[in-house]
Amino acid sequence: MKRAIVICLGPCLGMLALALPAAAASPAAIVEDIKGKVTGAEFMDYVTPESVIRIEGDGSVILSYLKSCRRETITGAGTVTVGTEASTVDRAALKVEKTNCDPNQAAATTKDTSGVAATLLRGVDAGKKASLPQPQLTLYGASPLVEAKGRGSLIIRRLDLVGERQQVDLGGTQLKGRFFDFAGENVALVPGGLYAATFKSSEIVFRVDAQAKPGATPIVGRPLRTA
């Protein structure tokens, strides 16, 4: 994978397309980790309600729910049935914790930059702060995990402060062909900042929470996913 991280110290001219691919189904949770023999799910899968995950022996799985911000660590032989906000666990041991996440993230949608969104962002480039778009979601980790499938340039640009811009040239070899983790590159955005992420022909506007921490914080608090 060819990766180029670019930070502009002055105004960045031109409108480059940033897009996130569309998801086929509405997921309930993301699989953050798997150990041992587990069937019915894989690492970084989005799972939908009524999906069944089977754990054998001393295997384990970590599920993070997108709406309830509930993070479940399930260990030992047993069966897990995915719900909308929590799992039903048979026999295996269940440990639950709450994490910071945006409950609206599953409903966040990308926009076509060829229309109104592009006009808004050109206005931002011109310094028209009154034209700033509203964020579609909030990230609670400062190092986004971006779902961007295939090849192309992933652009993240700050909207409320002219000049900050980052670019990653993706070659299609990202994790599972679609996940790029800024934590793995030791790159973090500015807490409290308003940003637009673009890939191919779509864009999504998001804010980084003022208390967000950099690095590999819980995945459910920092995904920029497709709609």
Side-chain angles (χ1 to χ4, degrees), residues 40-132:
E42 296 182 0
F43 174 58
M44 293 303 297
D45 274 355
Y46 287 113
V47 289
T48 55
E50 300 185 8
S51 298
V52 177
I53 302 170
R54 292 180 173 82
I55 306 171
E56 295 187 21
D58 58 355
S60 66
V61 62
I62 296 178
L63 295 179
S64 285
Y65 277 83
L66 303 177
K67 184 176 180 181
S68 63
C69 305
R70 171 184 166 108
R71 190 169 188 257
E72 301 178 341
T73 301
I74 306 157
T75 306
T79 302
V80 181
T81 303
V82 177
T84 56
E85 298 187 14
S87 301
T88 300
V89 177
D90 182 29
R91 298 190 306 279
L94 172 65
K95 178 183 177 182
V96 176
E97 60 182 318
K98 294 289 286 186
T99 60
N100 292 322
C101 79
D102 188 338
N104 297 316
Q105 63 183 291
T109 58
T110 58
K111 296 179 180 180
D112 186 347
T113 55
S114 64
V116 176
T119 301
L120 280 172
L121 295 181
R122 281 196 296 269
V124 170
D125 285 338
K128 300 177 182 177
K129 292 196 174 183
S131 298
L132 287 176

Side-chain angles (χ1 to χ4, degrees), residues 27-43:
I30 187 169
V31 181
E32 285 203 21
D33 188 46
I34 281 182
K35 293 180 181 177
K37 188 169 184 181
V38 176
T39 58
E42 296 182 0
F43 174 58

